[in-house]
Amino acid sequence: MVGVCAYAADLGLFVWLRGPGGMDPISAKALSFVAGCSVAYLGNALGTYRTRAAGVSRLQQYAVFFAVNVVGALVQLLCIAVSHYGLGFTSAAADTISGAGVGMALATMVRFWGTRTLVFGAGSRVTPVGPSTRPGASAGDGAGERPAEEEAGVRTAGARAVDGRTAGDRPAGERPVEPVN
């Protein structure tokens, strides 16, 4: 759904800028590309990947996202160049198939991989802005230092209850003392 919205923003703005906007095709495409990237980033950051990469700079995240999308655009252009200039398929239909068909498919794979791993994934190239992984936590307050499972209230192996004992420290059948919320 995010991709459809981003594509619609890109295409819609391009058509408007070329028609009523009276802009040249390169400038129109550059602006519509940025608009499409922005819509895709917002959809991914606030929707699809909202629980990942918390506590990181949104600007830095967007910069990596934008770079991934530029690589995707270059993949599409490379497909057109190879087809048109390298293989000699010079018709408008051949350019459409190589750019919007083959190029879009390959670029989508590149964008998906890059978005999932470099922007929002565990191998993210985006670094946290502070020692905490929880938004709103400040350095040295201990917030955000617990695993996500504990933050969500899920017991992890070896987790200590309020009484300071782990499950292995209690007699069989004794329940841990839980905090009162």
Side-chain angles (χ1 to χ4, degrees), residues 1-9 36 39-44 47-48:
M1 190 62 170
V2 171
V4 171
C5 292
Y7 180 73
V39 168
Y41 173 75
L42 289 171
N44 282 304
T48 308

Side-chain angles (χ1 to χ4, degrees), residues 79-90:
C79 287
I80 292 172
V82 166
S83 171
H84 192 94
Y85 300 107
L87 300 176
F89 298 120
T90 59

Side-chain angles (χ1 to χ4, degrees), residues 40-46 48-53 56 58 61-62 64-65 114-126:
Y41 173 75
L42 289 171
N44 282 304
L46 302 177
T48 308
Y49 297 108
R50 70 184 167 277
T51 60
R52 294 190 184 185
V56 298
R58 293 281 191 197
Q61 213 175 39
Y62 180 77
V64 174
F65 184 84
T115 298
R116 190 170 186 185
T117 58
L118 302 177
V119 181
F120 298 109
S124 175
R125 298 288 181 233
V126 181

Side-chain angles (χ1 to χ4, degrees), residues 17 22 34 38-39 42 48 57 59 64 77 79 81 88 94 117 119-120 129 135-136 140 142 151 161 175 178:
L17 289 172
V34 171
S38 298
V39 168
L42 289 171
T48 308
S57 163
L59 183 60
V64 174
L77 291 173
C79 287
T117 58
V119 181
F120 298 109
V129 292
E151 290 287 321
R175 298 190 54 147
E178 298 292 336

Side-chain angles (χ1 to χ4, degrees), residues 155 158-167 169-170 176-177:
R155 287 295 220 185
R160 296 186 185 277
V162 173
D163 63 359
R165 297 187 299 172
T166 64
D169 296 334
R170 283 190 238 15
V177 178

Side-chain angles (χ1 to χ4, degrees), residues 24-36:
D24 68 279
I26 301 299
S27 299
K29 187 59 190 171
L31 289 174
S32 70
F33 175 76
V34 171

Side-chain angles (χ1 to χ4, degrees), residues 7 9 16 21 23 26 28 37-38 41 44 56 66 104 106 113 119-120 135-136 138 151 154 173-174:
Y7 180 73
W16 185 83
M23 195 174 275
I26 301 299
C37 282
S38 298
Y41 173 75
N44 282 304
V56 298
F66 189 80
M104 179 66 84
L106 293 174
W113 173 82
V119 181
F120 298 109
S138 59
E151 290 287 321
V154 176
E174 182 181 327

